[in-house]
Amino acid sequence: MPPSSASVHSNSNSNSYSNSYSNSYHPMQSIGSQIGYKVRNIAHYGQPTIEINLDTTHGTHGGYVTSYSTMDTIEGTVTITAHHDTKFENLEIAFVGTSQVFVDRLTSSPSMSGRTEATHRFLTLKQPIDDTDLPCPRVLAAGRTYTFPFFFTVPNHLLPRACTHRIASDHVRDTHLMLPPSMGDPALAGFGAKLLDDLAPEMSKIIYGIKVRIVQLREADGTFSLLGEKTRKVRIKPAFEEQPPLNLDPSDPEYRPRQEKTIRKGLFKGKLGTLTAQSAQPKSLVIPGARTTNLGSITTMAKILLRFDPADEHNTPPRLGSLATKIKVSTYYASSPRANFPSRSALGYDLTQGVYQETISLSSLCIASATWQKQDSAANPTAENSILRRDSGISDCSTGETAEAFNNGILTQSKNYRGGSFYTARIAVPITLPDNKNFLPTFHTCLISRTYILSFHVSAHAPGVSDPSLHLKIPIQVCADGSDTGNENARARSAEAVVRLEANDVFTPRSVAPPTIGNARTQVNDLPPEYAAYAPQVGRYNARVTAVG
């Protein structure tokens, strides 16, 4: 469990990356933890009691954690009860999102071992509280309960200030500004009433919550101190649309979309031919929206093309055996902001990055019934007769020859092809995610990323000493639908924005003068908008004060 930040942030800057270094474990730390626990209990004695209650608009919040999606509203109340008259200066209610990462550093010297940590608060939405809603004077009276409502809308994107570090391209920046899902907390990971493993390591967490802070002014030195603080976690499952497919680098060992293997007749009997297998990135797997009643399977369809180039015209292709499908779940984490997408090749020389991978078996199929089709030399695809169409069911970002192969079902020739006839086959592979795991969408943030790789093991029966097998590895995306309520709110907000824009165009005079570069007002207006600009058009909430008992 990565330790939470012990510092008190007096501002709401959402692009703060805090890093720290901790020494290796010492036996005295256990005694220090016990002493610190007792000191914190003494320090909290006499502080106001803070309770955060969520309404039941999106379901019950007692037996399980309700999921919120993009453009969903999070409503509730904050109740504060003071045991004695307590002076305070300000009250803050905010919806915050934070990434927490630590990376252990293993070296040959024990004295140099330790870990690096990073905390990034990428989201801060503050509930407006008018001064008239607070008690005057600023004193929490003993025996009274103060109630403050809050209303937040889960944004669909983060503001540019959430990612201000150096990046390699605008595409990387856009992915970093997408709202990531909750991750790494066993008490929140799951679907509906089930708590399921989200395959995230303890080294990386993404936590959302409603945070309440009561600040007190010290009259002695005029500084502020934290009088009381409490956070209630919420589960966020944002919508993720399918992104463009990866343009695979042939030198990247993480992927292998194509493989060739020479098959022999026996130990000293010469070659039978060359067996080639190839696949491409399929359509994405789509997770149902938050609080959905559709509990169907999460499926998609992949395709594997096979080709056999015989060494002799009279040789026949081998009989196919089995096909095993697995999915590799990779969680990348870093204690410093990344400028590009993560990769295993960068882990060797960057000690601030780490990866946790877990492989899950999906299916094992018998493909002996797959039939080989004999093709003459005229059907062999070449660069001259390739067409640039591609199958709409395949998300492939490759050359025209590969696109033609998946359109016509004929792979390009192997390196041992000598001309003449050859054999082809195709296999449709259903991909279904198991329901005993909580799969998160494919996402990338400044510190944490989640990616998926499909693995295919194709085996065949050959007359030689051993049966050949081919191993393919291709990327696959996991996307997520939005909730029904969030989709309705998004459509209503979009229609409202169109009407507002048309009204502004009618009543706002047009100006053809160039903007004044040196004008301070122009420079302020060019800044990105605050989250308050997207606040719902509702009436202001009023605080309520009720007597206890």
Side-chain angles (χ1 to χ4, degrees):
M1 296 284 293
S4 58
S5 177
S7 61
V8 178
H9 301 277
S10 60
N11 53 37
S12 59
N13 188 9
S14 60
N15 65 339
S16 58
Y17 298 88
S18 59
N19 297 271
S20 62
Y21 174 80
S22 60
N23 295 325
S24 57
Y25 176 78
H26 193 276
M28 292 298 294
Q29 287 184 353
S30 59
I31 301 177
S33 300
Q34 298 178 6
I35 297 176
Y37 177 77
K38 294 183 180 297
V39 170
R40 285 193 296 270
N41 287 341
I42 296 174
H44 292 167
Y45 179 77
Q47 291 184 352
T49 301
I50 303 174
E51 293 185 3
I52 304 174
N53 302 307
L54 301 175
D55 67 358
T56 58
T57 303
H58 299 310
T60 306
H61 299 269
Y64 61 93
V65 179
T66 300
S67 300
Y68 296 94
S69 185
T70 304
M71 299 305 295
D72 274 337
T73 57
I74 304 177
E75 300 181 62
T77 57
V78 173
T79 58
I80 302 175
T81 304
H83 304 285
H84 55 82
D85 292 349
T86 305
K87 296 180 62 177
F88 73 100
E89 180 65 23
N90 194 18
L91 169 67
E92 293 182 359
I93 304 175
F95 173 51
V96 298
T98 307
S99 300
Q100 300 175 358
V101 173
F102 71 86
V103 180
D104 289 323
R105 300 195 303 177
L106 302 178
T107 61
S108 58
S109 175
S111 61
M112 295 297 293
S113 62
R115 65 174 51 172
T116 56
E117 302 178 354
T119 300
H120 177 210
R121 180 179 293 182
F122 54 85
L123 174 65
T124 301
L125 302 180
K126 288 189 176 181
Q127 172 67 36
I129 301 178
D130 196 86
D131 292 340
T132 58
D133 297 335
L134 300 174
C136 186
R138 299 290 178 87
V139 177
L140 299 175
R144 288 184 176 271
T145 298
Y146 300 85
T147 303
F148 301 91
F150 60 83
F151 184 100
F152 297 107
T153 299
V154 181
N156 52 4
H157 288 89
L158 302 175
L159 290 182
R161 67 186 65 184
C163 178
T164 58
H165 60 90
R166 183 181 61 86
I167 47 91
S169 64
D170 292 338
H171 178 57
V172 176
R173 178 86 69 195
D174 293 339
T175 55
H176 285 187
L177 294 179
M178 298 178 65
L179 194 70
S182 298
M183 187 186 77
D185 193 336
L188 298 178
F191 183 82
K194 295 182 180 180
L195 290 179
L196 303 175
D197 182 16
D198 60 3
L199 306 172
E202 63 176 352
M203 292 79 77
S204 58
K205 295 182 183 295
I206 298 178
I207 299 175
Y208 293 87
I210 307 298
K211 188 173 185 178
V212 180
R213 301 169 72 245
I214 305 176
V215 180
Q216 187 180 42
L217 178 63
R218 295 176 179 174
E219 298 181 355
D221 52 3
T223 60
F224 293 96
S225 63
L226 189 61
L227 180 61
E229 182 180 39
K230 188 171 184 179
T231 301
R232 176 160 182 174
K233 299 177 183 178
V234 295
R235 181 196 295 167
I236 300 298
K237 288 190 171 184
F240 274 85
E241 298 180 354
E242 185 175 8
Q243 299 298 311
L246 292 179
N247 190 8
L248 301 182
D249 185 0
S251 61
D252 189 354
E254 192 73 7
Y255 303 103
R256 187 189 298 149
R258 178 185 173 105
Q259 188 179 23
E260 301 178 2
K261 181 159 291 189
T262 302
I263 302 177
R264 296 184 176 273
K265 298 178 182 180
L267 186 59
F268 301 105
K269 295 183 180 181
K271 298 180 181 179
L272 181 68
T274 303
L275 181 62
T276 304
Q278 185 170 341
S279 185
Q281 181 174 340
K283 279 189 174 182
S284 62
L285 295 158
V286 182
I287 302 173
R291 308 182 310 278
T292 182
T293 57
N294 180 19
L295 301 179
S297 301
I298 304 174
T299 63
T300 188
M301 188 67 68
K303 182 161 53 174
I304 298 177
L305 299 183
L306 301 173
R307 172 168 173 159
F308 177 72
D309 294 331
D312 186 86
E313 188 70 23
H314 303 289
N315 293 344
T316 59
R319 185 169 56 90
L320 299 178
S322 62
L323 170 63
T325 305
K326 300 179 181 180
I327 186 170
K328 180 189 288 186
V329 185
S330 301
T331 304
Y332 293 88
Y333 51 92
S335 58
S336 61
R338 290 184 302 231
N340 209 333
F341 296 124
S343 63
R344 286 188 58 88
S345 59
L347 300 179
Y349 55 85
D350 190 351
L351 298 180
T352 64
Q353 296 193 40
V355 62
Y356 174 81
Q357 295 181 325
E358 189 169 340
T359 302
I360 302 174
S361 298
L362 298 182
S363 63
S364 181
L365 305 175
C366 177
I367 57 176
S369 60
T371 59
W372 289 99
Q373 295 182 355
K374 189 174 183 179
Q375 310 286 346
D376 55 21
S377 59
N380 183 45
T382 59
E384 289 77 13
N385 60 12
S386 64
I387 55 177
L388 298 181
R389 282 187 60 190
R390 70 171 182 175
D391 188 354
S392 60
I394 296 294
S395 297
D396 183 42
C397 190
S398 53
T399 62
E401 295 184 10
T402 304
E404 181 197 4
F406 279 93
N407 187 49
N408 297 335
I410 301 178
L411 291 179
T412 56
Q413 63 191 32
S414 65
K415 60 183 179 180
N416 297 325
Y417 179 65
R418 304 302 182 188
S421 60
F422 58 94
Y423 297 85
T424 61
R426 66 176 67 187
I427 304 173
V429 187
I431 307 298
T432 303
L433 294 181
D435 57 1
N436 60 347
K437 299 292 183 180
N438 178 28
F439 288 87
L440 303 177
T442 303
F443 72 92
H444 299 276
T445 68
C446 302
L447 301 178
I448 303 174
S449 295
R450 167 63 64 89
T451 60
Y452 297 91
I453 297 177
L454 277 180
S455 175
F456 300 117
H457 287 266
V458 182
S459 65
H461 300 288
V465 178
S466 61
D467 293 335
S469 62
L470 301 176
H471 183 200
L472 304 180
K473 298 182 292 183
I474 59 173
I476 187 172
Q477 291 185 36
V478 177
C479 303
D481 289 332
S483 65
D484 295 338
T485 306
N487 293 337
E488 293 178 2
N489 293 341
R491 286 191 293 267
R493 186 69 61 85
S494 178
E496 180 183 353
V498 171
V499 173
R500 188 181 305 172
L501 182 60
E502 292 177 352
N504 291 338
D505 290 341
V506 172
F507 296 102
T508 302
R510 293 185 298 175
S511 175
V512 296
T516 304
I517 303 301
N519 193 331
R521 180 174 300 179
T522 302
Q523 295 177 356
V524 171
N525 292 336
D526 289 340
L527 293 176
E530 297 283 347
Y531 281 108
Y534 302 98
Q537 302 297 320
V538 296
R540 180 173 56 85
Y541 284 94
N542 295 322
R544 301 191 303 273
V545 181
T546 57
V548 176

